[in-house]
Amino acid sequence: MKRISKERLPEVWQRISGIFDLFLPIKKERTVNFSLWREGEDVDLKNLRTAVSPKELVFPQTETYLKFKREGKRLNLQSVGVQGDPYVIFGVRPCDLKGIKLLDNIFLSEPVDTYYREHRERGTIISLGCFDPEETCFCTSFGVDSGQYSTGADIALWDIGETLLWEVQSPKGDELTQSLSDLLEEVSSRDVERLEELRGELKSKVEELPLAKIDPRKIEGTQQEIFDKEELWNEISRRCLACGTCSYGCPTCHCYDVQDYKFGEQGERFRCWDSCMSSDFTLMAHGNPRTTQMQRVRQRFMHKLVYYPKNNGGEYSCVGCGRCVERCPAHLDIGKVIKKLGGEG
Ligand code: SF4
Ligand code: SF4
């Protein structure tokens, strides 16, 4: 393990951005998001939750697959490869890091999504642990210990005050670390002690969080029994405005639509994020199998809490990042749903 003084971080970013596109949590007006770093940007490493999760860097909001053009009776097709240069994401929080792992389960299993794979291969992820969770955080309910979790990161950082501890996690992370070696220092035994103190303090902070008792493993019933709780789903879904905010901000939601955009004799085929909360989601030629908002809301939570774990070794498709808790205009979030289904303990 190495250490880097926070004062020297701009030098690190300068160096990395000379080789890669560098994305950092950057504040623009009042919103923090992972954005391309340039000198002078307002980097906010204290922010725990960017408005949009960093999933947009591995799974872009829109992505063109091919371009087409009519020429007489012929339709010429031109495939479009993955856009973007090799990149580094600096400061990915543990919940969002696990979100990327959950996306990997979907997109990297057979048949592999080759666009996603290429985005993942081009990227180097530098995570940043959390020792001061917010009131709307509940990542521990989904198996993320934010003082320890670094699965999938190439380099893991731990903020111990004036200094960040720097831990290489992969050959890619090692290569980047080597190129920055003159900026990094050796850790002292006091640094390591401080890290362990913070990890210990985190445990008691987490127990005090308002959502600490949420436990999806306590939800009882078979898939069919949970699905059939119509009265409960009606009650839960009544307030939903179908705005889709919960899906677009969520680090684990991964549904997308494929559309053709035609202008004159030419056009593009692209994919774009979609939301199961929208009334035209799963709309097919014969109609839509989900005709009410209750059915759509039920689908979202059944997928996250029942279907996904069933097909992915018990992992839930939620990481407790708290974005939907913070952002849903109707105050309908997954924490409330889990409690209503009996998942509290
Ligand atoms: S953010 Fe809230 S209101 Fe909007 S679609 Fe999601 S649950 Fe419904
Ligand atoms: S469902 Fe809500 S809390 Fe869970 S990962 Fe998505 S946005 Fe975060």
Side-chain angles (χ1 to χ4, degrees):
M1 202 185 283
K2 304 277 183 189
R3 75 203 289 270
I4 173 98
S5 149
K6 284 185 183 169
E7 282 180 357
R8 301 202 74 177
L9 284 175
E11 288 176 73
V12 170
W13 299 333
Q14 190 75 55
R15 189 83 68 80
I16 296 175
S17 67
I19 313 167
F20 300 100
D21 281 349
L22 171 62
F23 294 89
L24 275 152
I26 290 174
K27 196 170 188 175
K28 294 199 170 140
E29 298 186 350
R30 288 186 308 167
T31 307
V32 181
N33 268 317
F34 281 92
S35 309
L36 195 61
W37 182 81
R38 298 267 180 262
E39 211 167 344
E41 297 283 9
D42 186 3
V43 175
D44 186 354
L45 283 184
K46 287 205 178 307
N47 178 280
L48 293 190
R49 189 184 296 132
T50 48
V52 180
S53 80
K55 82 172 172 189
E56 66 175 338
L57 295 169
V58 294
F59 172 43
Q61 289 190 32
T62 61
E63 182 154 45
T64 301
Y65 284 159
L66 61 85
K67 295 186 176 177
F68 52 86
K69 189 172 185 182
R70 185 189 299 279
E71 283 172 350
K73 288 188 176 171
R74 290 176 59 86
L75 186 64
N76 285 328
L77 305 178
Q78 182 200 339
S79 69
V80 177
V82 172
Q83 306 293 298
D85 293 319
Y87 63 92
V88 171
I89 327 177
F90 190 110
V92 177
R93 296 294 182 170
C95 55
D96 286 338
L97 189 61
K98 181 158 186 195
I100 293 174
K101 178 177 178 287
L102 298 178
L103 296 184
D104 287 353
N105 289 350
I106 299 295
F107 290 121
L108 299 183
S109 55
E110 291 295 338
V112 171
D113 184 308
T114 54
Y115 280 76
Y116 179 87
R117 182 177 62 197
E118 195 153 338
H119 286 298
R120 288 287 281 119
E121 286 174 358
R122 286 179 187 192
T124 301
I125 298 178
I126 304 181
S127 67
L128 176 58
C130 300
F131 297 114
D132 281 306
E134 290 179 1
E135 292 216 325
T136 44
C137 294
F138 54 112
C139 59
T140 40
S141 299
F142 291 95
V144 180
D145 176 345
S146 63
Q148 301 269 3
Y149 190 89
S150 59
T151 308
D154 297 294
I155 294 167
L157 302 180
W158 311 103
D159 183 346
I160 60 162
E162 299 302 306
T163 306
L164 294 177
L165 300 191
W166 182 291
E167 198 173 21
V168 171
Q169 304 275 312
S170 76
K172 224 191 249 182
D174 190 36
E175 201 176 319
L176 182 60
T177 301
Q178 305 264 359
S179 72
L180 301 166
S181 58
D182 55 313
L183 298 172
L184 302 170
E185 299 165 39
E186 294 303 322
V187 284
S188 67
S189 53
R190 179 65 202 124
D191 291 334
V192 178
E193 272 168 34
R194 183 65 193 135
L195 176 61
E196 292 312 320
E197 279 166 18
L198 288 167
R199 284 174 170 165
E201 288 165 18
L202 175 64
K203 284 197 173 58
S204 41
K205 284 183 192 170
V206 163
E207 280 164 19
E208 299 298 317
L209 292 175
L211 302 176
K213 298 224 176 326
I214 285 175
D215 186 350
R217 291 170 300 268
K218 293 235 160 31
I219 297 174
E220 282 185 2
T222 63
Q223 175 174 304
Q224 194 62 48
E225 285 165 350
I226 300 169
F227 185 91
D228 286 341
K229 291 176 191 274
E230 293 224 353
E231 207 176 306
L232 188 77
W233 290 117
N234 274 322
E235 186 201 326
I236 288 171
S237 62
R238 200 167 296 131
R239 285 181 300 184
C240 179
L241 307 170
C243 66
T245 301
C246 49
S247 313
Y248 297 126
C250 177
T252 70
C253 280
H254 51 268
C255 289
Y256 63 87
D257 193 9
V258 176
Q259 296 188 12
D260 288 344
Y261 174 61
K262 190 167 167 287
F263 39 102
E265 293 300 301
Q266 53 190 316
E268 294 185 359
R269 172 161 295 179
F270 63 96
R271 76 165 155 193
C272 54
W273 292 358
D274 204 350
S275 168
C276 55
M277 302 303 242
S278 145
S279 58
D280 61 1
F281 183 80
T282 59
L283 180 64
M284 291 170 271
H286 80 287
N288 197 328
R290 294 186 204 111
T291 54
T292 67
Q293 197 58 20
M294 180 281 264
Q295 292 169 342
R296 295 187 271 274
V297 168
R298 176 172 62 186
Q299 163 62 22
R300 178 161 201 268
F301 295 112
M302 285 295 288
H303 182 231
K304 290 195 172 296
L305 301 170
V306 181
Y307 308 145
Y308 188 98
K310 189 176 169 191
N311 296 320
N312 291 277
E315 296 248 50
Y316 296 91
S317 181
C318 173
V319 292
C321 72
R323 283 185 180 86
C324 60
V325 181
E326 193 181 77
R327 302 262 157 70
C328 171
H331 304 292
L332 163 56
D333 61 73
I334 196 166
K336 289 197 180 92
V337 174
I338 295 171
K339 283 186 192 172
K340 281 191 185 293
L341 291 170
E344 198 174 15

